[in-house]
């Protein structure tokens, strides 16, 4: 049973048949700001607020896993000012969300290479990760300095190192074993991947995990993405026939 059934959306979405794992490419912040004559950084600040709204809603309706793409391994190509602003927002958000995580028992995890973050912020990510490990609420995975290819290469390296040490046999490796080397170890694959902002590409997001995910695209820019937009995506998901290669 769903925890909560919003009245207005009941006709559209069956809240008893929700995807377990929703993944979102939070895109369109820059264009949102530009249209308002604001600096791109204002778009990122607005996007962070949208994340808060959508994460709260997902938790309310009973989504088990929410994975969001916040900063890619390719986003370092952007101007330093913009990158610094995004890192600053991560810090601000983490500091503000510790209390809420405790209250709602949210497990917050990071996918990505956090070694590149300033030490103080890195320590904060480790702390929030640790605090929430034993909670039993929704799991939120924030992809930061994340790239799907980078993730697969790291997994291959880790596995190869174990083979070289004589602990693993390459001939015995299965898909399930390999999944265990990814950032997403233990997390079920995403059922639904949402990309706002009108771009029709994957941009290095969850390459391995999204093999059989359902995709939903919308022209709405991430800062304008609302609960209603999420309901539209959920309704679209519910209309799909997932065959996994079968008939
Ligand atoms: C997504 O919004 C946020 C990050 C990639 C960090 P963008 O900043 O890519 O916004 P657009 O695509 O330029 O509008
Ligand atoms: C993908 O968006 C990364 C995030 C949303 C964090 P980008 O804006 O970086 O992707 P491209 O450049 O349009 O492919
Ligand atoms: Mg973009």
């Amino acid at each position: 049973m769903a925890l909560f059934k919003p009245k207005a959306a009941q006709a559209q979405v069956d809240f008893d048949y929700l995807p377990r794992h929703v993944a979102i490419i939070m895109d369109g912040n820059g264009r949102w700001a530009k249209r308002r004559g604001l600096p791109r950084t204002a778009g990122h600040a607005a996007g962070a607020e949208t994340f808060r709204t959508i994460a709260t809603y997902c938790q309310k309706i009973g989504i088990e896993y929410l994975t969001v793409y916040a900063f890619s391994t390719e986003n370092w190509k952007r101007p330093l000012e913009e990158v610094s602003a995004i890192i600053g927002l991560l810090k601000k958000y983490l500091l503000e969300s510790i209390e809420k995580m405790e209250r709602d028992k949210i497990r917050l995890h990071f996918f990505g290479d956090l070694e590149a973050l300033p030490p103080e912020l890195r320590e904060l990510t480790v702390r929030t990760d640790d605090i929430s490990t034993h909670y039993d609420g929704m799991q939120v995975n924030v992809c930061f300095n994340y790239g799907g290819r980078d993730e697969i290469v790291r997994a291959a390296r880790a596995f190869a190192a174990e083979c070289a040490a004589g602990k693993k046999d390459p001939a015995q490796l299965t898909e399930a074993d390999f999944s265990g080397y990814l950032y997403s170890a233990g997390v079920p694959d995403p059922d639904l991947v949402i990309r706002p902002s009108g771009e029709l590409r994957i941009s290095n997001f969850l390459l391995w995990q999204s093999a059989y995910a359902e995709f939903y695209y919308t022209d709405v820019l991430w800062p304008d993405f609302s609960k209603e937009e999420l309901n539209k995506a959920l309704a679209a998901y519910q209309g799909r026939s997932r065959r996994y290669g079968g008939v």
Side-chain angles (χ1 to χ4, degrees):
M1 273 294 280
L3 303 172
F4 165 83
K5 293 177 191 253
K7 281 200 188 84
Q10 242 164 357
Q12 249 190 330
V13 181
D14 178 351
F15 288 93
D16 288 325
Y17 176 60
L18 291 172
R20 277 186 85 189
H21 185 174
V22 175
I24 308 179
I25 300 174
M26 304 191 291
D27 196 18
N29 295 347
R31 279 164 283 173
W32 181 91
K34 204 173 161 203
R35 281 181 199 173
R36 282 163 179 74
L38 298 168
R40 292 178 57 86
T41 50
H44 296 310
E49 281 309 312
T50 301
F51 166 67
R52 223 192 281 265
T53 306
I54 295 300
T56 303
Y57 183 63
C58 284
Q59 189 241 334
K60 226 171 168 180
I61 62 176
I63 300 289
E64 288 177 62
Y65 298 89
L66 174 67
T67 301
V68 292
Y69 204 5
F71 191 84
S72 77
T73 46
E74 288 72 39
N75 288 147
W76 295 104
K77 293 174 190 162
R78 298 182 178 209
L80 182 61
E81 190 199 340
E82 180 170 346
V83 171
S84 308
I86 294 169
I87 291 174
L89 279 166
L90 175 67
K91 186 175 176 189
K92 177 175 177 282
Y93 176 80
L94 280 181
L95 287 170
E96 286 170 6
S97 58
I98 288 179
E99 217 172 277
K100 183 176 159 46
M101 276 168 48
E102 284 174 350
R103 196 185 60 222
D104 295 334
K105 304 284 175 256
I106 290 178
R107 282 170 294 156
L108 184 65
H109 292 298
F110 290 90
F111 292 179
D113 176 18
L114 302 179
E115 297 286 338
L117 294 178
E120 192 198 354
L121 179 54
R122 219 188 136 236
E123 203 247 307
L124 188 60
T125 60
V126 172
R127 193 144 55 89
T128 40
D129 225 294
D130 287 351
I131 291 175
S132 62
T133 292
H134 302 294
Y135 290 166
D136 59 358
M138 177 173 73
Q139 177 166 332
V140 178
N141 307 304
V142 176
C143 299
F144 206 95
N145 194 17
Y146 171 88
R149 286 188 170 184
D150 181 60
E151 178 182 38
I152 292 168
V153 168
R154 281 165 190 275
R157 272 191 215 130
F159 176 70
E162 291 185 1
C163 291
K167 293 185 195 151
K168 286 278 158 66
D169 172 4
Q172 303 294 319
L173 182 70
T174 64
E175 290 182 8
D177 294 335
F178 192 74
S179 296
Y181 290 87
L182 300 172
Y183 291 124
S184 58
V187 175
D189 287 343
D191 299 294
L192 172 64
V193 174
I194 300 173
R195 181 159 196 168
S197 94
E199 306 299 351
L200 305 182
R201 55 177 170 261
I202 192 79
S203 299
N204 209 7
F205 186 47
L206 303 180
L207 297 183
W208 171 278
Q209 299 88 339
S210 62
Y212 273 101
E214 294 297 326
F215 278 84
Y216 179 83
Y217 295 100
T218 168
D219 286 337
V220 171
L221 301 172
W222 176 247
D224 290 329
F225 197 89
S226 58
K227 295 173 200 166
E228 291 68 36
E229 294 300 331
L230 186 71
N231 283 340
K232 282 186 206 165
L234 295 172
Y237 169 80
Q238 289 171 347
R240 306 278 176 87
S241 160
R242 301 185 78 185
R243 288 187 290 277
Y244 300 95
V247 286

